[in-house]
Amino acid sequence: MELAPIGFYVVISLLLSLILIGVSFLGAGSGPEKVSAYECGFDPFDDARNRFEIRFYLVSILFIIFDLEVTFFFPWAISLKWIDLFGFWSMIVFFLILTIGFFYEWRQGALDWHSSPIDRGA
Amino acid sequence: MTYSFLLLIRTLGMLISLLLGIAFLVLAERKVMASMQRRRGPDVVGLFGVLQPLADGGKLILKEPVLPSSANVFLFLLAPVMTFMLGLVAWAVIPFDYGMVYSDYDAGMLYLLAISSVGVYSLIMAGWSSNSKYAFLGSLRSAAQMISYEVSLGLIVITVFLCAGSCNLTDIVLAQRALWFIIPLFPVSIMFLLSCLAETNRAPFDLPEAEAELVAGYNVEYSSMGFALFFLGEYANMILMSSLCTLLLLGGWLPVYPLGLRRLPRIPCTWFIMKVLLLLFVYIWVRAAFPRYRYDQLMSLGWTVFLPLSLAWVVLVSGALLAFDWLA
């Protein structure tokens, strides 16, 4: 029952945002010089959908792993009172495996932003 | 009928007061920063510049919205709408005082974490759909920064869950009646505050904005209301993160009574608002006082300091609570 007002709230705030962005389009359109992508005064050389640094990708992969771990921790944290020592130790085993993985990544240089992992042959 | 009408009134009340709060936070930031730099700040519009945010808003609405020719129009327009909407939507579960909450949702804290995770999508959408190199690089940086600090934020929230035994925000505050969680969880509280700064892309972690190298980050191509919505969403998130800090660690609306002032009449929300304002002042103070971090330092702080420390704290707190039978 608590979710119904939240749904209503979401709809109203979506409407508000759409109205606000819609209002700005009531004025005149823009000229041809303004609509090219911004690149310090000259015309853009090429498309921006280019190659990018692999480490951003690596960070997002690591994020998925750790966020899953955190998500797995939530129900455990709430119910620790009822699951006792067995529940506690099973989580600690899971946690240790992940920590070993984490230190492996760290040693491999996945968390190192000074030099690229490819440079060091990792 | 009456129910939905009342709901509409409540929703509008929340949204309008939130928008006013954001507007005056912007003004407060400019005023406080000005005082710290021995300037006057905005003081022309209205008395002491009080109407400045309204003038700024009016100006931004009247500006011409530019749609870059190479942009994906749908995503380009959806991104600011989504940022602003998520900034507002998160407030539905924040309790301002006992019983003063829009929706007393049992998984309130999980709802907030979910909302803040979705926030990353709008940044990526903005950067990618603008089809501009600066915007693209800025959005990559912002996204990587936000997700890096979200992990340690989540782990710190888990230590609070362990101490409170609930993820309902009202219950978390009530669990702090004897002792605010900032005292037993002091080291992680500091980390939580810093992660909040990084999560909202604020100084000293405002690298996405780095005006010297990336002009303005993911929102370079936005003008008019698109820009304003990003801006407002960012400030709504700032207030949200301060309230979250207050609720999780500083005892929410629970009062402090120094010097035996217990007999003063209790006005609802006062303590909550005072704590939030204090944290917001810290946000602004930090921006005025500290230089910007370097990107590799930022990432290594998140992954090699905050993450291992907060992991260790989860184990320590859960072990201690279990060993001494202190679980709530």
Side-chain angles (χ1 to χ4, degrees):
Chain A
M1 205 47 226
E2 287 104 4
L3 277 177
I6 294 183
F8 186 73
Y9 190 94
V10 171
V11 173
I12 296 286
S13 25
L14 179 66
L15 281 178
L16 180 69
S17 333
L18 287 174
I19 290 170
L20 280 176
I21 199 141
V23 161
S24 65
F25 280 94
L26 293 178
S30 45
E33 285 303 318
K34 289 183 191 166
V35 296
S36 72
Y38 172 73
E39 214 157 287
C40 288
F42 46 79
D43 290 336
F45 283 128
D46 51 27
D47 207 71
R49 277 81 196 252
N50 223 323
R51 288 183 294 176
F52 62 89
E53 178 70 57
I54 187 79
R55 274 176 296 194
F56 287 111
Y57 187 73
L58 205 58
V59 162
S60 50
I61 295 272
L62 285 177
F63 163 72
I64 289 175
I65 297 168
F66 281 101
D67 214 36
L68 273 178
E69 181 187 353
V70 171
T71 319
F72 198 32
F73 264 113
F74 283 133
W76 172 82
I78 301 295
S79 61
L80 189 60
K81 194 181 177 183
W82 296 281
I83 54 177
D84 275 340
L85 279 176
F86 177 72
F88 177 74
W89 285 112
S90 9
M91 201 49 160
I92 293 296
V93 170
F94 166 75
F95 175 81
L96 274 180
I97 296 170
L98 259 160
T99 311
I100 293 167
F102 175 65
F103 281 106
Y104 177 73
E105 281 155 15
W106 196 344
R107 275 196 64 84
Q108 286 288 307
L111 309 176
D112 188 12
W113 281 72
H114 294 291
S115 58
S116 134
I118 300 142
D119 294 343
R120 278 173 291 100
Chain B
M1 188 56 217
T2 352
Y3 174 73
S4 43
F5 182 69
L6 280 177
L7 199 59
L8 185 68
I9 296 288
R10 276 172 65 195
T11 314
L12 289 179
M14 281 280 288
L15 290 177
I16 290 167
S17 41
L18 190 54
L19 287 175
L20 280 176
I22 297 167
F24 285 108
L25 173 63
V26 177
L27 178 69
E29 171 164 39
R30 293 177 66 181
K31 276 291 196 189
V32 171
M33 294 259 299
S35 302
M36 286 178 180
Q37 295 158 353
R38 308 191 67 176
R39 295 183 285 119
R40 279 227 205 125
D43 65 347
V44 176
V45 193
L47 198 65
F48 299 111
V50 191
L51 297 177
Q52 184 68 36
L54 298 179
D56 286 341
K59 183 198 76 178
L60 278 167
I61 286 185
L62 294 175
K63 288 279 174 188
E64 157 190 338
V66 176
L67 288 175
S69 54
S70 49
N72 291 45
V73 176
F74 179 67
L75 287 181
F76 186 79
L77 290 178
L78 186 61
V81 169
M82 215 167 115
T83 313
F84 185 64
M85 193 189 105
L86 292 173
L88 296 181
V89 156
W91 283 87
V93 294
I94 298 281
F96 298 96
D97 203 327
Y98 185 73
M100 283 184 71
V101 51
Y102 185 80
S103 164
D104 193 16
Y105 184 35
D106 269 339
M109 194 54 225
L110 293 185
Y111 171 83
L112 284 180
L113 285 169
I115 297 278
S116 78
S117 302
V118 179
V120 179
Y121 284 97
S122 53
L123 298 191
I124 298 199
M125 264 158 46
W128 187 81
S129 68
S130 307
N131 207 347
S132 153
K133 278 160 207 146
Y134 289 107
F136 184 59
L137 290 174
S139 78
L140 280 180
R141 279 186 174 198
S142 306
Q145 173 179 343
M146 279 179 80
I147 60 178
S148 300
Y149 282 86
E150 211 164 282
V151 179
S152 51
L153 213 60
L155 284 166
I156 295 164
V157 168
I158 285 173
T159 59
V160 174
F161 283 179
L162 281 165
C163 294
S166 168
C167 49
N168 180 319
L169 284 162
T170 305
D171 290 347
I172 290 177
V173 173
L174 291 181
Q176 302 178 58
R177 264 176 304 194
L179 185 66
W180 295 358
F181 288 152
I182 191 172
I183 296 165
L185 300 176
F186 185 69
V188 279
S189 305
I190 301 291
M191 276 157 54
F192 190 83
L193 193 62
L194 292 177
S195 302
C196 285
L197 285 176
E199 188 73 11
T200 46
N201 290 337
R202 288 285 299 179
F205 307 112
D206 58 345
L207 292 131
E209 203 185 291
E211 53 276 11
E213 6 173 351
L214 285 177
V215 256
Y218 56 87
N219 54 16
V220 231
E221 296 293 344
Y222 286 91
S223 61
S224 178
M225 231 32 218
F227 174 76
L229 289 185
F230 273 120
F231 197 72
L232 294 175
E234 215 166 275
Y235 278 78
N237 270 330
M238 258 173 78
I239 312 182
L240 180 76
M241 282 298 181
S242 308
S243 329
L244 212 54
C245 250
T246 308
L247 291 170
L248 297 181
L249 300 162
L250 289 175
W253 61 82
L254 300 176
V256 267
Y257 291 115
L259 308 171
L261 289 174
R262 200 172 284 265
R263 257 167 289 155
L264 285 179
R266 192 173 170 286
I267 308 158
C269 300
T270 323
W271 284 102
F272 178 80
I273 290 170
M274 272 162 57
K275 290 171 192 173
V276 171
L277 286 181
L278 180 75
L279 284 171
L280 285 172
F281 180 73
V282 170
Y283 265 53
I284 298 167
W285 190 4
V286 163
R287 178 169 172 198
F290 287 101
R292 190 178 290 133
Y293 250 55
R294 221 171 54 211
Y295 199 70
D296 61 311
Q297 290 173 331
L298 171 90
M299 294 308 270
S300 65
L301 181 72
W303 285 100
T304 64
V305 179
F306 281 14
L307 181 61
L309 265 178
S310 48
L311 278 171
W313 262 86
V314 170
V315 177
L316 180 71
V317 169
S318 58
L321 289 174
L322 204 63
F324 297 110
D325 209 16
W326 283 339
L327 281 169

